[in-house]
Amino acid sequence: MKVLGVDPGLTRCGVGVVDGVAGRPLTMVGVGVVRTPADADVAHRLVMIERGLEEWLDTHRPEYVAVERVFSQHNVRTVMGTAQASAVAMLCAARRGLPVALHTPSEVKAAVTGSGRADKAQVGAMVTRLLRLPEPPKPADAADALALAICHIWRAPAVNRLQQAQAAARRTPAPARTLKGTR
């Protein structure tokens, strides 16, 4: 399974591609950051993010896209930029018919480090170790994107089984009910 992880951000949007399956060694295919100038207007920056993500999708042809789920922060301006970049990533994937998974930061940290409260240095160190890299990817946004892809690869089998069970339950007709005392 090849997954593009996206750590959304308006100034730095981390991207990383990981290939592998749960229970086996994983391979980093690519890692980087799509950057936009802070002084450009938001609409233009979103177009730049879209172009950068489309280039990653064209080059690496992932089967899935994992995006960090936007969570509430105290700085509304930061949340807005992150949410806008996240929406661009989901749009690019959906346009190609690629499944999109959203993972919270604590889910990703827990999957990669064992603790949902791990700091960026711990995440970077574990990504380096898990992917057998010579040094942690920089900046942290790039390491976070790889962590998202790893998290998705490890969690996807369980999520897929749950979705299949739910779909099967919806297809199975409910048993007919009878009211007591009626004929």
Side-chain angles (χ1 to χ4, degrees), residues 31-102:
V31 66
V33 177
V34 176
R35 296 179 187 272
T36 68
D39 60 348
D41 67 275
V42 174
H44 184 67
R45 293 172 80 182
L46 293 173
V47 169
M48 293 171 72
I49 290 169
E50 180 207 20
R51 287 181 183 151
L53 292 174
E54 288 291 348
E55 189 174 310
W56 275 83
L57 291 165
D58 286 340
T59 301
H60 298 288
R61 304 232 179 262
E63 301 163 82
Y64 299 89
V65 176
V67 181
E68 183 175 277
R69 182 183 298 271
V70 178
F71 63 98
S72 179
Q73 297 173 335
H74 299 297
N75 186 342
V76 174
R77 201 164 160 213
T78 301
V79 172
M80 288 301 296
T82 302
Q84 290 164 334
S86 177
V88 169
M90 289 186 281
L91 174 69
C92 290
R95 195 182 284 144
R96 293 167 182 256
L98 296 172
V100 176
L102 300 174

Side-chain angles (χ1 to χ4, degrees), residues 18 24-28 112-114 120-137 143 146-147 150 154:
V18 176
R24 299 239 168 100
L26 303 174
T27 304
M28 182 187 77
V112 174
T113 71
K120 290 215 178 265
Q122 290 171 303
V123 171
M126 284 306 295
V127 164
T128 302
R129 187 172 174 195
L130 292 167
L131 297 175
R132 301 168 312 283
L133 303 174
E135 59 188 21
L146 290 171
I150 292 168
W154 286 353

Side-chain angles (χ1 to χ4, degrees), residues 104-165:
T104 65
S106 58
E107 271 182 282
V108 174
K109 291 174 185 178
V112 174
T113 71
S115 168
R117 297 177 183 263
D119 62 24
K120 290 215 178 265
Q122 290 171 303
V123 171
M126 284 306 295
V127 164
T128 302
R129 187 172 174 195
L130 292 167
L131 297 175
R132 301 168 312 283
L133 303 174
E135 59 188 21
K138 297 228 183 325
D141 308 277
D144 289 349
L146 290 171
L148 274 152
I150 292 168
C151 174
H152 185 71
I153 289 170
W154 286 353
R155 291 179 174 246
V159 171
N160 289 342
R161 284 193 300 275
L162 177 62
Q163 288 172 340
Q164 288 168 354

